[in-house]
Amino acid sequence: MEQNLGEDSVPVPESVDKSSILDVKPLRSLVPVFPLSSNFNGGSGPQGFSPFLCFPPSGPFPPGYAPFYPFAGIQTQPAGETPIRSTTFYGGTPISTAVPLNSYQTPEYADATKRQSRGSANGDKDVGSKTKSQKRTRGSQDVNFTSSEIDHDAIADDILTSYDVTTFDTFRRSDGDKEAVEYTLGIFELLRRKIMQVEDLKESTFGQIRRSDLRAATILMNKGFRTNAKKRIGAVPGVEVGAIFFFRMEMCLIGLHSPSMAGIDYMSLKVSQEEEPLAVSIVSSGGYEDNVEDENVLIYSGHGGNINRKDKEIMDQKLERGNLALEKSLHRGNEVRVVRGLRDPTSTSPAGKVYVYDGLYKIQESWIEKGLSGCSVFKYKLIRVAGQPDAFKIWKSIQLWREGVVPRSGIILPDLTSGREKLPVSLINDVDNEKGPAYFTYSSSLQLSKESTPPLTPAESFIGCTCSSGCLPGKQNCPCVQKNGGYLPHTANAVLVDPKSIIYECGSSCHCPPNCRNRVTQGGIKVRLEVFKTKDKGWALRSWDPIRAGTFICEYAGEVISSDKMQQLGSEIGDHFFDGTHIYQPVVNLPGCCSKATSDLPFPIVINAKNFGNVSRFLNHSCWPNVFWQPVMRASNKEFDLHIAFYALRHIPPMTELTYDYGVVSPEKAELGKKQCLCGSPKCRGFFY
């Protein structure tokens, strides 16, 4: 199962199968078996093995030795990184490269004495390297990234070729914009999920951590596919205040925060005849004794001193590296980007995090105080620059609403679904005195009318699967897996791998349980939504929760009618309908915004949600949407029913309006039903249908 446990994740003890006992022998016949260490000079033991060596149960272990249960689950602080410089541009001229272009790299960690460092090296160094056959060691945990069966570079090349990233020129890699940032993150997410999907077919090995985020980011950096590669002080082009990230590698790829683990990023600036370090960004994610409660003030702790280490002597922090850079920034008065690491409310793991870019801060003062360990710790007080959009403040407000400390203002109904959804959907108006949208009956499912097209019958009779415990990846005798081309369309945490013309889900014909991995769109909404009144676009939809790219949001519910019936209704149908007969063009060719012309569907579908429907009827149009729709077929009585599911196109911060592109019509109908578009995006067409 994919887990977003931050950069220090290790397997949880519950993931170990303790029921398996292999090759049981009498105790006297057991001989300790350890792999030979290349740097061990001692003689051989019994049966040609190395002599018995004793190590602390939680490590550290020398090369070739791994921890065993239950100590394998002990959380240890990873070492600091030795970054590399990535300057080879995909589709351009290689300037310099640390390793061959097609080599897979994973971050290389420095000596254990450099652990706990919050400081980053100068320059545009981001990710360290090791070859495919090597391992990366995190303290006591040997993490095996060996994967000889899968060519990750080939997967990346296929994606980069499919989306024609050669048009992503050198200038936009050096200095990006909003489109370049979203393009980079879109390619990263698509590659990461593809790697997850392929590795899902492999049998997992104890002690192995599958970090698809590290694999994807490293491959893209090796190929030079990134943006805002040049370090800078202040705002990063194309990165908006309030943007969220589920992996620190995302921030590396777009130039927001270069080090993949260190909390302080800095650069050298020439002053007079000498160079001095200046801080450019910091990440506060709970690893140190920071005071993060105030929405406009951050008390940030310096790095070093082994503050959180139990296997090292704790000592006073020193005024060096990141600490020195923060001190210099205090005197120079330069702006510092601040990223706050918060608990992900949608994660099933208590360690799941989401990173929020909270904008620019200035360091007001610094001092030294005794920390909880009794040693001296540097403290820096940062004040948020005024006039920026709210970011962390929004998260704090939502937390107070959840806990009932502060009531949600403007609430009309606490749950307009009347309990028909697992999570309540609030109805909010803090704009004017309107008491709600026109009356409709809330329904979470599709209804077929007499005029609607009947379910699609496949060429061959489909009897459904017999997976009583749920469909599993790689189970090639599962007819549902076969219908999806040999893969499950969603990852283990229910994220859509990539958009398809059609994805096939299990249905009433199948024997799998409701929590089957191939029934993602059938479990109702998974995020806390609210319907709210806008100033100029009527009613709209947004979420209290952060939404990860590829996450299922809701199905379009209502009455399925024929195209002819829709023409008859005309203006009576109002604004609440979904028209699959429109032509859906790509939006700036971003991954996930694939073209869905009428020919891509098994038959045109029109859904009327005027009289009854669900939250999807409040999704407004945008020419630069953050949501896309995906046709889903569900097996039902040897037939398939078509449904329309909505997914997040990219990461969506809380309280951001959810929108999708309504599409366009054929040229001969271009002037019929045209309405003025008020989306306000840079790519606005000025109208929609």
Side-chain angles (χ1 to χ4, degrees), residues 111-122:
D111 184 80
T113 59
K114 296 181 181 179
R115 295 174 188 171
Q116 283 288 335
S117 172
R118 274 193 153 178
S120 132
N122 290 341

Side-chain angles (χ1 to χ4, degrees), residues 31 77 80 84 114-115 121 129-130 160 194 231 236 238 280 353 418 466 499 593 598 607 610 613 623 638 653 683:
V31 177
Q77 179 70 21
I84 65 166
K114 296 181 181 179
R115 295 174 188 171
S129 64
K130 280 193 177 183
L160 293 171
K194 277 287 188 182
K231 278 199 179 185
V236 176
V280 295
K353 283 184 180 177
S418 300
T466 57
C593 275
T598 305
I607 304 174
K610 179 182 179 181
C623 301
K638 299 184 181 181
K683 298 291 183 179

Side-chain angles (χ1 to χ4, degrees), residues 532-652:
F532 70 102
K533 182 67 181 299
T534 66
K535 293 181 179 180
D536 53 5
K537 295 186 294 182
W539 298 91
L541 187 67
R542 61 189 175 195
S543 170
W544 288 18
D545 297 323
I547 305 178
R548 181 185 296 220
T551 298
F552 168 70
I553 298 174
C554 61
E555 177 185 347
Y556 203 101
E559 179 186 18
V560 179
I561 61 176
S562 64
S563 300
D564 293 339
K565 178 67 173 178
M566 182 179 179
Q567 296 297 327
Q568 294 174 13
L569 291 173
S571 60
E572 293 181 16
I573 199 170
D575 298 325
H576 302 295
F577 67 92
F578 172 85
D579 191 348
T581 66
H582 283 179
I583 299 171
Y584 293 83
Q585 299 175 341
V587 179
V588 298
N589 199 30
L590 285 173
C593 275
C594 24
S595 176
K596 291 185 174 68
T598 305
S599 58
D600 290 333
L601 291 173
F603 56 87
I605 183 172
V606 178
I607 304 174
N608 179 13
K610 179 182 179 181
N611 297 320
F612 62 88
N614 65 350
V615 292
S616 62
R617 72 198 297 272
F618 297 106
L619 286 166
N620 283 328
H621 164 81
S622 175
C623 301
W624 191 308
N626 50 25
V627 172
F628 69 95
W629 61 273
Q630 168 69 58
V632 177
M633 303 293 287
R634 297 177 189 164
S636 175
N637 299 322
K638 299 184 181 181
E639 299 175 330
F640 284 99
D641 293 332
L642 177 64
H643 297 257
I644 301 300
F646 288 91
Y647 290 85
L649 174 61
R650 53 183 172 271
H651 301 332
I652 305 175

